[in-house]
Amino acid sequence: MISQFLFLLCFGPLPKPSLSAWPSSVVPLKSNVILRCWSPTRNVNFALKKGRITMWSLEPCNLTENLAEFLLTDLHQGNAGEYTCEYYTILSPYTTSQPSDVLLLLVTGGFPKPSLQAYPSRNVTAGKKVTLQCQKPYNVVDYVRFALLKEGKSEPIRDWRPLGNMAEFSLKNVTVKDTGNYSCVYYQKSSPFWASHPSDSLEIWVTEGIQSQRTTPPQTSKKIGTNGIILIIIFTLLFLLLLLSALLIYKYTRRGAAPDKMTKSSRSSKEPEEVVTDSSVTMKIRSSALAEVSQASNAEEPQGVTYAEIHTRALRQGSSNLTKQPLETCVYAAVKR
């Protein structure tokens, strides 16, 4: 006794452990639950209590240096109640810790289920307020409390004692993290702690508001600043490549156009010479033809006969008309003096 007093005087009482339930402290009939007692001190023994009664018969199913797990199977209404745990040292002096905070274990199915509704809507903008209204049937049981449950949480997120048959749970300044499936139960606030069936699940959806969207771009702009610079450099290089390609195409096009112009100019300069040549050839042909006719006439006819050309229009016309009009047949007549 003296040694225990000296230990408490020197080191003080042992810190209290923590007690939690997995998967939840609100469970249905015929299900299983694990009560976990965690100690900040190692090499200790654990004890689980329901109310003021120590459950010595219930040994931990998993025991480590500072953790003990107690398994409750095939739950019924009698398993509901207030649980605590504590630990004590193995070596002398045998000191017991403070009890943990109370864990209320509820086994549902004792009463009809309540209804759950959201006001003004279950679709909420971040930063706003939503009210979840849980209402039990009339004339079922009095002197009850309501608990608000969220899927994924091991304990009720809210607990309320109403004045009548309805409880309102207000969620203020909601965030995206408040999105999820909610339900509620009502239960007796004293032993035997019977609880109702849970209400139908209600999904609450929280979306980002205008204010949060306005504050988001500066943060995102800082994150994508490097990417923006890289994109600007890439587009600048592409523009320079396109400009260089256009200059090269224009340069080669000008080089190819110069020979064509020279060819066309040479052709145009040669055309008049060809026309003149054609006309001169035509004139030469006609002159030779006339000479041959005159020689033939002089040979066949007696001397002293003069020949005259009746159709002389072709000889008087210019060189331009000679190239366009075909050769005409000349008729010669012999005129005696």
Side-chain angles (χ1 to χ4, degrees), residues 160-167:
W160 187 256
R161 180 180 177 181
L163 298 177
N165 297 324
M166 180 178 62

Side-chain angles (χ1 to χ4, degrees), residues 34-51:
I34 295 177
L35 302 181
R36 293 171 173 169
C37 185
W38 180 83
S39 166
T41 305
R42 297 188 177 185
N43 299 321
V44 294
N45 287 331
F46 294 88
L48 183 66
K49 287 185 175 182
K50 181 183 178 182

Side-chain angles (χ1 to χ4, degrees), residues 38-271:
W38 180 83
S39 166
T41 305
R42 297 188 177 185
N43 299 321
V44 294
N45 287 331
F46 294 88
L48 183 66
K49 287 185 175 182
K50 181 183 178 182
R52 296 182 179 180
I53 301 175
T54 302
M55 305 177 66
W56 296 110
S57 59
L58 186 61
E59 296 182 356
C61 62
N62 185 20
L63 180 61
T64 61
E65 292 182 348
N66 59 345
L67 177 66
E69 293 183 346
F70 300 92
L71 176 62
L72 303 179
T73 60
D74 196 19
L75 295 176
H76 51 81
Q77 296 291 346
N79 294 122
E82 296 176 336
Y83 288 82
T84 59
C85 74
E86 56 189 29
Y87 63 93
Y88 53 93
T89 58
I90 297 175
L91 302 176
S92 177
Y94 302 105
T95 306
T96 303
S97 69
Q98 300 178 8
S100 66
D101 294 334
V102 175
L103 173 68
L104 179 60
L105 180 65
L106 297 178
V107 180
T108 61
F111 304 114
K113 67 181 180 180
S115 62
L116 182 63
Q117 295 179 341
Y119 296 96
S121 174
R122 61 181 184 177
N123 297 322
V124 195
T125 304
K128 299 295 183 179
K129 171 185 173 182
V130 61
T131 300
L132 303 181
Q133 187 181 86
C134 184
Q135 185 173 4
K136 73 177 183 65
Y138 290 96
N139 302 324
V140 174
V141 63
D142 295 328
Y143 306 105
V144 296
R145 295 181 68 90
F146 285 81
L148 182 64
L149 314 175
K150 184 181 180 182
E151 185 178 356
K153 298 292 185 179
S154 60
E155 296 181 357
I157 60 174
R158 297 287 179 85
D159 190 86
W160 187 256
R161 180 180 177 181
L163 298 177
N165 297 324
M166 180 178 62
E168 291 185 349
F169 302 96
S170 296
L171 304 180
K172 300 178 181 180
N173 298 323
V174 294
T175 63
V176 177
K177 294 181 180 180
D178 293 315
T179 299
N181 294 318
Y182 292 80
S183 61
C184 68
V185 295
Y186 59 93
Y187 62 93
Q188 293 175 324
K189 60 182 181 179
S190 59
S191 184
F193 297 104
W194 281 24
S196 68
H197 288 281
S199 66
D200 294 334
S201 179
L202 177 66
E203 183 180 10
I204 300 298
W205 186 262
V206 181
T207 56
E208 290 290 347
I210 299 176
Q211 184 176 1
S212 59
Q213 290 178 357
R214 289 179 179 176
T215 58
T216 301
Q219 299 177 356
T220 56
S221 62
K222 292 180 182 180
K223 294 181 180 179
I224 65 174
T226 304
N227 296 332
I229 294 173
I230 293 174
L231 289 176
I232 292 172
I233 294 173
I234 292 173
F235 282 117
T236 304
L237 293 176
L238 289 176
F239 176 76
L240 292 176
L241 288 175
L242 291 175
L243 183 60
L244 180 60
S245 301
L247 291 175
L248 291 175
I249 292 172
Y250 177 74
K251 183 177 180 181
Y252 284 112
T253 303
R254 290 292 301 272
R255 287 184 178 180
D260 294 341
K261 291 182 178 179
M262 294 178 64
T263 304
K264 290 181 180 180
S265 60
S266 61
R267 288 180 181 176
S268 61
S269 60
K270 289 180 181 179
E271 284 179 357

